[in-house]
Amino acid sequence: MQVASCRWLGATCVRNLARVSSGSVFHCSDGSRCYAHTSPVTNFPKCELTSKRYPVTRGQFSQITGDDINFFVNLLGSHRTITDAAELEGPNTDWLGIVRGSSATLLKPKTTEEVSAILSYCNKRKLAVCPQGGNTGLVGGSVPVFDEIIISTALMNEVESVDTLSGVVTCQSGCVLEALDNHVSQFGLMVPLDLGSKGSCHIGGNVSTNAGGLRLLRYGNLHGSVLGVEAVLASGEIVNCLSVMKKDNTGYDLKHLFIGSEGALGLITKVAINCPSRPQAVNLAFFGLQTFEDVLSIYKDVKSKLGEILSSCEFIDASSLECVEKNLKLKSPISAHPFYMLIETSGSNSTHDEEKLNTFMEEALESGKVTDGTIATEPSRMQNLWNIRERISESLVIEGYVHKYDISLPLPHFYKMVEDMRQHLGTAVIRCCGYGHIGDGNLHLNITSKEFDQELMSRIEPTIFEWTAKVNGSISAEHGIGFKKRNFIHYSKSHSAIALMRQLKSLMDPNGILNPYKVLPDNK
Ligand code: FAD
Ligand code: MLT
Ligand code: ZN
């Protein structure tokens, strides 16, 4: 068995060195599949520095000195104060391999108190920092732009408690999503969030991005599931909002400021999450459809006929499926179609749920809205079908530079956006494809080209954001704003909302040391 080191997390991989077991699929030492390691781009050429590629100016922050390093070594020890350039390569580069910072320091605290001591020191010294979880973010928020100190939550991975009666889990922010889900599964619970990056992303990263994922339509978003947050402000002050109560109307609900603020208002150290019961019966259907009108019609039928057991409704177009087949050699279970849907049901009675889904498929086939389909009930077969959907992002990276857009659109406009962009870009790109969480109105529009090309970029942006704004969509449905979209936020947020965000930022982080150059637009 060949041993490979992790490009993103380097020798410091939180889940140990990844092992190549078959093809480009990586498994960690605990045997589970690791998505951050699955990208075939392990020999990725170093991408251009963000500070060179983009017009961005370093803020008035201090430069790190030997005295600063001594402070961190005294606090954490030298094994948790990383200054080795090779080890910093992964944490400086994002998952897509398209933004790269030049941080010379990565810190690995284990406790809230250590995070507090680090931030208090950095704030006094005016040293900028970049909080980092699993580094699977897709908007350039998780890596430094210049030389910000990376504060990794990799060693903050303790589960503090699981209340089996209420279903509330309290844990540190560095727990890997999949590991946390496995942990609560022994109590018959599940984390109400599931993403293709679950093998690497951290729960703190999930909360900081308000990640959506594959089952949002069933369990809602993290503003609902997260009951409590503990976070450290830029000053080092620890804000304890770690309620485990489902209802708590005592004053302003401050935890919401940290959910989705992408590390710009505080560093999340602990979370309390409401975990639903793990479903006993799960079934998955994979449908082929001829038109997008049929997709919308099936979505409507799914809601009315499978409503109480529906747990996921996903969409894939022909180009996305072709990309997975071509680049990852995955096989579609059905004949080629212009559109595909994955419909998952989760309930407590397998016979009832299976019957319902079978009847649904029969009726859909009879109506002609679905022209081919299959249903999986065994876990391994379901996983194979899910792989086709979950690994699209990985297959796209193989083609070169990925222009990744994550947009909310009213459903009648959902696929028109892909068609219009395809026509607009013509042969200038390798691929313009669409997939996503159709049940949430969330389109992932992806455009691949051989390499980064500024001219192509200016044909895509801001056109794509103007298009979105015209139909009252959102330019970021679930990935966040990060570095890449910060100067386009006005397409989805009013002037007054942005002004209030700026006020909150300066109240909570007066020196602007927390994840600078992210979320808010440049001061013009
Ligand atoms: P990181 O990437 O490390 O960080 C993300 C942001 O949060 C950064 O701004 C960072 O500074 C900040 N941050 C991280 N930890 C903390 C903390 N403790 N306190 C404060 N700020 C912090 N996203 C979805 O929403 N839905 C999906 O379905 C989905 N699928 C994906 C599939 C793949 C294959 C990949 C690679 C990514 C996918 N993503 C998806 C994007 C990404 O996985 C999520 O945004 C995830 O929540 C990021 O978690 P992370 O731990 O990797 O955070
Ligand atoms: C997904 O749903 O697959 C993710 O959000 C990642 C992506 O957009 O590629
Ligand atoms: Zn998604």
Side-chain angles (χ1 to χ4, degrees):
M1 193 182 267
Q2 186 192 344
V3 176
S5 69
C6 167
R7 186 176 75 82
W8 291 277
L9 304 167
T12 60
C13 175
V14 281
R15 310 187 61 216
N16 249 318
L17 281 183
R19 287 166 194 282
V20 184
S21 59
S22 65
S24 63
V25 176
F26 288 70
H27 290 266
C28 287
S29 52
D30 63 1
S32 61
R33 187 156 137 226
C34 181
Y35 284 81
H37 301 291
T38 49
S39 172
V41 289
T42 36
N43 298 320
F44 211 88
K46 266 192 193 174
C47 64
E48 200 174 4
L49 284 172
T50 306
S51 54
K52 292 222 168 101
R53 179 173 286 175
Y54 294 89
V56 55
T57 312
R58 190 179 181 279
Q60 307 278 305
F61 301 109
S62 306
Q63 309 264 4
I64 196 157
T65 64
D67 284 351
D68 299 325
I69 297 293
N70 286 341
F71 173 85
F72 297 131
V73 170
N74 277 335
L75 181 71
L76 306 172
S78 50
H79 59 299
R80 295 198 277 133
T81 305
I82 314 299
T83 52
D84 176 68
E87 258 189 80
L88 276 153
E89 241 174 59
N92 264 314
T93 312
D94 77 328
W95 189 88
L96 290 165
I98 60 182
V99 281
R100 184 159 71 93
S102 48
S103 176
T105 315
L106 171 110
L107 304 176
K108 292 179 166 182
K110 282 186 174 170
T111 64
T112 303
E113 289 67 32
E114 286 178 352
V115 172
S116 167
I118 293 168
L119 287 177
S120 160
Y121 180 83
C122 290
N123 195 40
K124 282 186 199 118
R125 279 273 301 121
K126 296 205 171 45
L127 289 165
V129 303
C130 173
Q132 189 175 87
N135 195 11
T136 65
L138 299 170
V139 287
S142 55
V143 293
V145 173
F146 292 93
D147 55 348
E148 299 88 272
I149 296 170
I150 303 169
I151 306 179
S152 164
T153 53
L155 300 180
M156 300 182 68
N157 54 9
E158 296 274 317
V159 177
E160 296 205 333
S161 64
V162 182
D163 181 333
T164 53
L165 199 56
S166 65
V168 179
V169 61
T170 306
C171 64
Q172 283 188 299
S173 55
C175 288
V176 171
L177 175 59
E178 192 174 52
L180 186 64
D181 188 52
N182 287 339
H183 184 84
V184 299
S185 71
Q186 58 187 308
F187 307 105
L189 301 170
M190 63 178 280
V191 179
L193 174 75
D194 190 8
L195 323 176
S197 56
K198 57 183 160 274
S200 301
C201 61
H202 296 185
I203 194 70
N206 299 147
V207 173
S208 302
T209 52
N210 187 26
L214 304 164
R215 301 209 168 70
L216 185 137
L217 107 162
R218 170 74 163 259
Y219 301 106
N221 75 16
L222 290 172
H223 282 286
S225 306
V226 173
L227 303 179
V229 165
E230 177 194 78
V232 181
L233 300 183
S235 63
E237 192 173 335
I238 300 167
V239 181
N240 184 344
C241 301
L242 203 56
S243 170
V244 291
M245 293 293 112
K246 288 180 184 151
K247 299 179 84 173
D248 175 15
N249 274 355
T250 48
Y252 307 142
D253 202 343
L254 297 175
K255 67 170 183 272
H256 292 296
L257 286 177
F258 301 104
I259 303 173
S261 57
E262 303 180 62
L265 297 182
L267 195 148
I268 296 178
T269 43
K270 288 182 191 168
V271 291
I273 302 177
N274 186 32
C275 295
S277 295
R278 215 170 181 88
Q280 282 146 35
V282 180
N283 298 295
L284 183 63
F286 195 103
F287 292 161
L289 306 94
Q290 299 295 342
T291 68
F292 190 70
E293 284 64 47
D294 289 336
V295 171
L296 292 185
S297 178
I298 285 293
Y299 171 55
K300 210 168 160 209
D301 294 348
V302 155
K303 281 199 299 174
S304 69
K305 294 182 183 162
L306 300 172
E308 83 284 5
I309 51 170
L310 182 66
S311 52
S312 191
C313 183
E314 294 287 310
F315 165 77
I316 305 175
D317 74 358
S319 176
S320 308
L321 191 107
E322 194 249 347
C323 190
V324 171
E325 286 189 317
K326 181 171 157 234
N327 295 333
L328 298 178
K329 311 290 173 233
L330 298 186
K331 274 228 149 316
S332 167
I334 60 172
S335 55
H337 278 71
F339 302 104
Y340 305 88
M341 289 176 88
L342 275 105
I343 290 152
E344 187 195 69
T345 62
S346 302
S348 56
N349 183 325
S350 54
T351 322
H352 164 267
D353 294 1
E354 216 178 305
E355 247 175 54
K356 264 196 118 163
L357 191 55
N358 274 321
T359 309
F360 184 86
M361 185 167 85
E362 275 163 30
E363 287 174 5
L365 285 165
E366 262 166 39
S367 72
K369 293 182 209 168
V370 168
T371 42
D372 199 357
T374 182
I375 289 176
T377 53
E378 309 120 51
S380 64
R381 201 153 165 257
M382 283 193 277
Q383 189 52 58
N384 288 342
L385 298 186
W386 269 125
N387 283 346
I388 294 172
R389 165 65 187 87
E390 290 185 44
R391 296 184 66 193
I392 297 171
S393 29
E394 188 190 325
S395 69
L396 289 160
V397 173
I398 298 173
E399 298 198 331
Y401 188 94
V402 186
H403 301 258
K404 186 168 276 298
Y405 299 96
D406 157 48
I407 288 163
S408 273
L409 292 171
L411 286 176
H413 300 284
F414 194 88
Y415 201 68
K416 181 87 174 70
M417 156 77 103
V418 182
E419 290 168 337
D420 281 7
M421 283 311 288
R422 203 174 271 157
Q423 200 179 10
H424 173 63
L425 297 168
T427 53
V429 299
I430 300 174
R431 184 185 303 280
C432 176
C433 66
Y435 55 95
H437 316 288
I438 193 156
D440 312 321
N442 179 180
L443 170 72
H444 292 314
L445 168 62
N446 284 248
I447 298 159
T448 57
S449 56
K450 207 161 160 261
E451 55 201 4
F452 176 77
D453 172 353
Q454 187 55 57
E455 202 191 309
L456 175 62
M457 181 67 109
S458 43
R459 282 179 70 187
I460 301 173
E461 299 178 3
T463 309
I464 213 159
F465 303 125
E466 285 163 359
W467 203 108
T468 306
K470 237 182 246 161
V471 296
N472 294 321
S474 166
I475 68 154
S476 173
E478 59 173 12
H479 295 164
I481 291 290
F483 171 74
K484 287 199 248 161
K485 314 240 153 96
R486 74 200 188 291
N487 286 326
F488 302 107
I489 192 173
H490 62 279
Y491 284 102
S492 293
K493 284 284 176 289
S494 65
H495 189 70
S496 55
I498 296 170
L500 185 55
M501 285 186 210
R502 277 199 202 281
Q503 284 178 318
L504 279 169
K505 171 74 176 169
S506 48
L507 176 75
M508 294 172 77
D509 177 17
N511 293 326
I513 61 158
L514 278 172
N515 228 2
Y517 328 105
K518 316 281 171 67
V519 187
L520 290 173
D522 292 336
N523 264 318
K524 294 222 173 95

